[in-house]
Amino acid sequence: MTSTDNLVKDGDRVMLKKGDNLRVFQVHKGREIFLEKMKFKLDGIIGETYGSLFEVKDGEMVKIVRQIENETSTDDKGIDTEKDNRHLLDQDSNQKLKQEEIEQMKKDGISGAHLIDQLIENSATFQSKTEFSQAKWVKKKKKKHLNQFTVLRPSTRLLCEMHWSKGPSRICNLRIDSLSQMLTMGNIRAGSTVMVVESCLGLVTGAVLERLGGFGKVISFYHGDSPMKCNLDNYDFSKEIMDTLYNYPLELVNSLKHKTELRVNDDVSMETADLTDESKCIKVEQDKDKSDNIVPSVENVIKDSNVVIDTKADVEMESESKNESESKTETRTESDLAEGEGQLKVADRSVEKTDNREGDCEQKTGGKRRGKKWNKRDNKVKKTKERAEAKILRAKEIVDARRIIQEKNVDCLIVATKFHPTPIVLALVDYVNPSRQIVVYSQFKEALEDCYVYLREHKGLVNYRLTETWLREYQVLPNRTHPVIQMSGTGGYVLTATTVVKSPN
Amino acid sequence: MTSTDNLVKDGDRVMLKKGDNLRVFQVHKGREIFLEKMKFKLDGIIGETYGSLFEVKDGEMVKIVRQIENETSTDDKGIDTEKDNRHLLDQDSNQKLKQEEIEQMKKDGISGAHLIDQLIENSATFQSKTEFSQAKWVKKKKKKHLNQFTVLRPSTRLLCEMHWSKGPSRICNLRIDSLSQMLTMGNIRAGSTVMVVESCLGLVTGAVLERLGGFGKVISFYHGDSPMKCNLDNYDFSKEIMDTLYNYPLELVNSLKHKTELRVNDDVSMETADLTDESKCIKVEQDKDKSDNIVPSVENVIKDSNVVIDTKADVEMESESKNESESKTETRTESDLAEGEGQLKVADRSVEKTDNREGDCEQKTGGKRRGKKWNKRDNKVKKTKERAEAKILRAKEIVDARRIIQEKNVDCLIVATKFHPTPIVLALVDYVNPSRQIVVYSQFKEALEDCYVYLREHKGLVNYRLTETWLREYQVLPNRTHPVIQMSGTGGYVLTATTVVKSPN
Amino acid sequence: MSFAKYKSNIENGDTVMLYLGFDNMHTLVIKDGDTFQTRYGALRHSHLIGKQYGSRVYCKKGYLYVLHPTPELWTVNLPHRTQILYSTDISFITMQLDLRPGSIVVESGTGSGSLSHSIIRTIAPTGHLHTFEFHDQRAKVAAEEFDIHGISEYVTVTHRDVCQDGFQLDHIADAVFLDLPKPWEVIDSAKGALKHQGGRICSFSPCIEQVQRTCNTLTSNGFVELKTFECLLRNHDVRTVNLPLPDLGPSDLVLHDGSVTINSSTDNGKQNDITEETDTGTESEKTDKDFIDANCLKTESEEQIVDTSDKSKRKIDSNDLRDSNSDTKRPRFDKLKLQNTRHDFDLIGCKDDKSFFFKTSAPTLQMPGHTGFLTFATLYHSN
Amino acid sequence: MSFAKYKSNIENGDTVMLYLGFDNMHTLVIKDGDTFQTRYGALRHSHLIGKQYGSRVYCKKGYLYVLHPTPELWTVNLPHRTQILYSTDISFITMQLDLRPGSIVVESGTGSGSLSHSIIRTIAPTGHLHTFEFHDQRAKVAAEEFDIHGISEYVTVTHRDVCQDGFQLDHIADAVFLDLPKPWEVIDSAKGALKHQGGRICSFSPCIEQVQRTCNTLTSNGFVELKTFECLLRNHDVRTVNLPLPDLGPSDLVLHDGSVTINSSTDNGKQNDITEETDTGTESEKTDKDFIDANCLKTESEEQIVDTSDKSKRKIDSNDLRDSNSDTKRPRFDKLKLQNTRHDFDLIGCKDDKSFFFKTSAPTLQMPGHTGFLTFATLYHSN
């Protein structure tokens, strides 16, 4: 994401943009992708600058020079032509080339410009059109037939546009302007600790990670089986940024209020360890200083490894040790794993489900993991090991995230889920520092009204606002300037409030 | 309201418009009105054409020639000036004339144009302004100091604008675009029979009457003490139009479903009748053909007169006889009236309250009735008589309205009240013909959601729509074209549906 | 005849509206002996004659309603010969032009007659519409339609290019409506058409450049009180939403033979998806709820209403019954605990242990973003 | 320092926000020894030092909250030297320009620094803002503010008329923001300021004519993917509405010694007015509910919340108790008869015999109608 490093590399996730159509692909030398009814390889973009324009030719991406559109040439022609349109009927049926012929030419690798020429030649009516109509016609045909893609780095803006155009219900109708309000009203910035509860395909988590830029911490709450990592792949975040992400399961949220401490015992020095023999523990200990009521002290022994993380350690330190452990648990087998499972309840569940989820992702991106190839047997062994690693990591992550939350030093809570937000907000709001922002999004105003009423009862907040933004796009063309004909009726609602120190009365 | 008759007459209600400020006044020769901190007479407008422009000079309205604004003269200057404004501070404090001096000049009857000249002369900074700024400054001053009014005929459009600008809550936030949707979606047109339940200061009733133009019938439902007549005065409707109006009390709505018949016994031939002796009856009889359950047959004897109205008679006939009776009950005294009151329950109540309400109106319009002057004693006698007359009329009107409703031949139901609309709509919807429109307005969407749910349960309707309209105004000026800076956030919601023949299943 | 005034029963020659569901309406001129194909099967015209407007009519595979024509139903069902004005703009234009019975109105162009029908409805029986169309065929078809609809006595259709030849009307009109690419070319002529006492004018233009030029010309022709508006329709979709409550787990961790056992939530997979009951019909065409055209009227046949209601009731009932043994582990939002909670909490919807149910009328995802700019102005009498 | 990052306690020299209620906020630079006058009485700065941000602070006549500064609070409280951009537009601009830590941004003009603060917040600690202001004094004051706010290391303020002299930046920026009367004059220079690899640009203009000209210039300079937006804030006012049910009288007329007696309703005069509890505070300034400025943030101090809630509760309670002897005469909308009615009826609000209560979040009557047009475009790397 640094500015000097602006060339497409093998393994990068890139966005291909054609008009308003956006898709993410991972670059793999020699692999074909399928897009807009065409199969082609992305090899041609490797080593080229992000922002370049390519055309698909003979199944390959060929870089082409971007031409300056000269809209001004049609200046003042709009009005004259509109009047003359009265005598025109829809002329598309006057195209002598059949659809199959056009498709065949495309398969034969005709260049887009050449195809357009063919279309003009075979149009019965092109010459009878006014200059303005001709220009309009060519533009329309270009949009349809020119297979030109701009290669872009993924960003929150582009991913939000992509998801929105694919179907806003998948991201809870979260429109880009609403998302932008959330980030601003939440005062999201480098160095912050942000709790995110979302079910918008990772869009909100990714947006927060982007705005933190590797500085700070994001605690992402996941429902049962969907930690956000898979969805975040699209962002192609650097390791520095991904290291600021912690995942925490929603089903352990209520338990947070008993100031217990989960601890992972994990021996850093362990190398070729056997799953069944290692002693890795998650200890849940009551924080006796703060909690007056009696909470059972529990301990969960996970026999994977025995790294003991000092709960007072700095977080940056932690992520380092995490990475070390990642590279050290390589030789475990699947059977080992199975034996270990019976006792690993907290971590296990989420890890298992994560794996499934990652499987889904793989299918989508072509059934292969980035930049690696194994034969099937090796793959199986490695995967087992990875899964075991992931389990430990996840367990540690839960412990880490729990500790961060319980420090009550959170700077922002952002909620944007398919669930009713009130219980989530009420359960988490007290972990947010005073004089900070909470931001609750919902596609239903009623849900936020309810949340608002409960928060008022809960107290400890001021400066409530329940807002909606309208987004109106304009077509700005000579003599044809007006708001666009269709607009989005709703992009969701946002409730914001500022935390304050709870007063005794 | 006819086009040939376009001169202001003594007794007319006129609207005075200055910018967006609109007010209704009744023209009375010699009487002063108070507007914009000035006292002046309207005598000068009598005999002049509607649409003329007048200036207040020495307490009189003096007709002036309307000048063509030449906005185009500032063409292309907008942009240049905006840049130069950076060096300007607010210059109003540089006016050497004090506010009192200005007010005195106004009292002394200075013409607006002359006053502006004075202001320019005494401005320390006028000359240093750009041409564009000067034009803007003069326009602003003119708006403030020129007491120029356009004299207009009242219309729904202008009255809606007037009420809206005075405070939309008084008309349930009914914005002009919402009102316009209601009239159109209700298919309101000449010849229709329309039921109107509103509490928007008569705006909806007036709008419907205007659209019926004297053809058809409007049944206006009033809550307890507020028939719409008083509010309708502003419209200055012709007698032909007012004759299409029937008033019916909301508190007799539930009783409609028992197909009873109220009858007024009223002798047309009576002249100098004594209230206590006359026998005027409202009979409530059970319609035995249709009602299976036992409903008590009731009879209300009103001893005012004894006109018997044949319930089968044509409505136009009725209004004629009504008008006759109006001119025949002239000599009754207040004491007579008092004696009559004990037995007049249905009609009485509403009449009494109507009188109070009319009293309010009188105060507002200056304590005098249009075009008539009496000494106080005469006034009292006449008033008593009038009240008695009104009682009979009201009673008859209720009977008439009841009959019209019970014919179940209504073409539209329009509801726009401060009450929850659901009970009203459910009680009245079955009196509407099949294949007609019902229109329910509310400033609260929730009220319409509720209404919608109940109507669906009630059945007999299709083609539901719950809509809101957005109204966006644009400033169109050379190089300064944009939507206006403030807009209305809500103009209310409209629920419409189409009645169908209720099917047995 | 059918457009001129309401009548109760269908006669031969009437134009009627067949209502099969919200985005499935047809307009039909009754011609004894003809047959019309609907998606519910064939419909013999003769079957409709004599029927009361608003009746339910059965075909083989379903039923429909036969509705009385109105300008609004005509607008959504008319054959498009041009871009047309829809009821939202029409309503506002009618109000702003002060139209009422008796008004004399000038319109150009006639187009597909959408606005014309609405104007005639409002100004009849004592007013008149002079409508101008520069396209010969369109003018003819419009005149025919007015005739079939029984409203030709209220309208004069003229085939003329008014930009070139003007209205040729001598101070007879109360209002002028312009829907032309170059409205400024006819402002002067429009002024001549308006009564000496003055009147109102409206110009509809899709682009702001046209508005700017029109405003200039209006002003220099002595029109005042110029106002330019956009009026946009926002349809709301009433539906019941079932928003799942999240499983935030137990508030205390349970010690279970040495390991932490959390009460794994009962299968939430399905229940955790938002259930939305679109009240306004679930027609078979409506495959993608996300892209319901906001321009369309949404509705349902009565049968569908019943279906939806029953479904919704069943769903809620089953929710009420389902596993309530997990009560202690979840935050309580129990509706029936009304007495113990603030009333405020209960003024939005209903909650049970798993869900927050409420009615909402969410705006449709797509709505009209622009139809055109409506510029209104007044011409006051010239002294 | 206070704008650079969150800190927990107030120190001398900090800029703090005093929150007295929604439309009553002040910004204050803590200076030990000074005193600040609020409407609740005097506040000694020394009293604030060491206090935790977010604390409630008592004055003689009431209390307030002392809040940590944020760019958003600054935007609504800053001293206006020019028209400023508000958070709604700022949010959208930040997103559309792809701003994040590390971004190099060019801004012209600085104006009152409203947007500048927000940009700096987003691009720190590794990015930089180059902001240009043609008004000498404004540039100086802005630079001073950045210094006081502890963010001067992230920003370079230059006093220059960029229309004449350009940005003089050589391909260093990721994004350019223009708020100028003639943005087209600097497009070329902006292109030179953007990195060779390309970047994003935004131009904010109040009038469409500026937008048109800017778009032309952007296109001819090779910028692509031009998009022009308006982004408008709509505030919703959450409140409890008590909509009275109408008295439609008895369904049967009662015979009473020869005359019709209808059950005259108990005094409805007061109860029939709509009761609205504006949840978001009832401040003393707010005399006319109809004209609440939608630009303003609405809120309440905690005390007021309690008051309102209590009032609302009491009102509903008394409604529950009042004359229920007229039950038989009115349509029943009884909430407690839940079992007998459809659930659907109960998913909006509560009904008793007299009223329909519900929560609504009605849009404020006035809302921003226009701030400016935001035109965005991309410049791709030149081969």
Side-chain angles (χ1 to χ4, degrees), chain B residues 15 17 22 152-164 175-176 179-180 183 203 206-207 210-211 235, chain C residues 92-100 174 199-201 224-225 227 229 376-380:
Chain B
M15 299 194 81
K17 177 176 166 70
L22 278 163
L152 296 170
R153 253 185 218 297
S155 71
T156 299
R157 171 174 62 94
L158 295 170
L159 289 169
C160 189
E161 276 178 25
M162 179 183 82
H163 287 309
W164 182 266
R175 205 173 50 202
I176 191 163
L179 178 56
S180 78
L183 298 170
L203 195 59
E210 190 181 279
R211 289 283 172 99
Y235 275 93
Chain C
F92 195 61
I93 291 164
T94 305
M95 172 68 85
Q96 287 286 336
L97 291 182
D98 290 334
L99 302 192
R100 63 189 68 170
D174 296 290
R200 294 275 288 169
I201 193 168
V224 294
E225 293 164 14
K227 296 250 186 196
F229 294 102
F376 300 96
T378 305
L379 183 73
Y380 287 121

Side-chain angles (χ1 to χ4, degrees), chain B residues 80 86 169 223 250-251 254 258 299 345 420 446 450 453 457 468 472 481-483 485-489, chain D residues 134 182 206 208-209 230 234 244 248-249 251 258 260 272 290 342 345 351 356 360 364-367 369:
Chain B
D80 287 329
R86 58 178 148 159
S169 64
H223 166 62
L250 272 178
E251 60 190 7
N254 278 339
H258 299 284
E299 182 169 309
K345 287 258 170 35
H420 181 43
E446 289 80 3
D450 181 81
V453 173
E457 173 88 353
E468 181 191 2
R472 257 199 123 178
T481 300
H482 57 72
I485 300 302
Q486 283 281 332
M487 69 179 281
S488 155
Chain D
F134 68 159
K182 297 181 181 182
I208 195 73
E209 293 85 354
E230 275 188 285
R234 207 184 192 200
L248 302 180
S251 52
V260 177
N272 279 330
D290 293 330
R342 283 177 50 184
F345 290 175
K351 297 187 194 90
F356 177 31
T360 187
T364 47
L365 276 177
Q366 291 288 310
M367 63 173 270

Side-chain angles (χ1 to χ4, degrees), chain A residues 94-347:
Chain A
N94 296 311
Q95 177 58 247
K96 287 174 218 142
L97 286 180
K98 284 178 193 146
Q99 193 56 37
E100 305 90 75
E101 291 176 297
I102 296 171
E103 293 302 329
Q104 190 54 49
M105 280 194 271
K106 281 190 188 179
K107 274 183 197 155
D108 296 348
I110 189 174
S111 84
H114 196 76
L115 176 63
I116 303 289
D117 288 343
Q118 288 289 318
L119 289 171
I120 290 174
E121 225 166 83
N122 288 283
S123 163
T125 53
F126 185 82
Q127 298 309 329
S128 70
K129 287 176 197 278
T130 63
E131 191 187 336
F132 170 72
S133 293
Q134 286 182 352
K136 202 171 162 184
W137 187 89
V138 168
K139 202 177 173 184
K140 202 174 140 193
K141 294 295 163 192
K142 270 189 185 168
K143 200 172 178 180
K144 193 174 171 190
H145 297 293
L146 285 197
N147 292 308
Q148 299 186 344
F149 298 95
T150 303
V151 174
L152 297 170
R153 254 187 216 294
S155 71
T156 298
R157 171 174 62 93
L158 295 171
L159 289 169
C160 189
E161 276 178 25
M162 180 183 81
H163 288 309
W164 182 266
S165 68
K166 278 183 179 177
S169 64
R170 294 161 65 243
I171 49 170
C172 302
N173 286 354
L174 177 63
R175 206 173 48 203
I176 190 163
D177 50 321
S178 300
L179 177 56
S180 79
Q181 302 303 314
M182 292 166 66
L183 298 170
T184 299
M185 297 318 288
N187 196 20
I188 304 302
R189 60 173 167 192
S192 300
T193 300
V194 184
M195 295 194 290
V196 182
V197 189
E198 67 140 307
S199 44
C200 302
L201 302 179
L203 196 59
V204 181
T205 313
V208 171
L209 284 165
E210 189 181 278
R211 288 285 170 98
L212 260 55
F215 308 91
K217 304 183 194 81
V218 175
I219 301 136
S220 175
F221 293 80
Y222 56 94
H223 166 62
D225 51 354
S226 56
M228 283 298 153
K229 284 224 168 125
C230 157
N231 290 312
L232 292 174
D233 283 349
N234 280 344
Y235 276 92
D236 217 10
F237 281 130
S238 66
K239 187 178 166 305
E240 290 75 40
I241 289 178
M242 287 308 284
D243 282 349
T244 60
L245 176 66
Y246 298 80
N247 289 293
Y248 191 81
L250 272 178
E251 60 191 8
L252 286 182
V253 161
N254 277 340
S255 76
L256 281 167
K257 64 184 155 209
H258 300 284
K259 311 257 157 72
T260 51
E261 212 172 81
L262 279 157
R263 189 174 295 185
V264 177
N265 288 322
D266 201 359
D267 193 332
V268 188
S269 61
M270 283 297 303
E271 286 257 356
T272 56
D274 189 330
L275 272 178
T276 42
D277 295 336
E278 268 108 59
S279 60
K280 181 184 158 207
C281 312
I282 291 187
K283 283 187 187 165
V284 182
E285 289 169 8
Q286 192 182 354
D287 182 339
K288 275 152 192 144
D289 301 341
K290 298 189 179 176
S291 176
D292 292 337
N293 47 347
I294 301 148
V295 176
S297 171
V298 282
E299 182 169 309
N300 180 23
V301 182
I302 301 168
K303 296 182 175 172
D304 280 1
S305 54
N306 51 6
V307 182
V308 180
I309 295 168
D310 183 355
T311 52
K312 305 288 179 219
D314 192 61
V315 181
E316 273 72 18
M317 292 281 294
E318 267 177 61
S319 14
E320 273 173 38
S321 69
K322 201 156 53 180
N323 298 326
E324 275 178 65
S325 73
E326 204 168 351
S327 59
K328 277 162 196 163
T329 47
E330 295 259 55
T331 55
R332 290 167 215 146
T333 64
E334 197 160 24
S335 58
D336 290 338
L337 184 73
E339 285 180 66
E341 270 183 318
Q343 285 165 294
L344 196 146
K345 287 261 172 33
V346 178

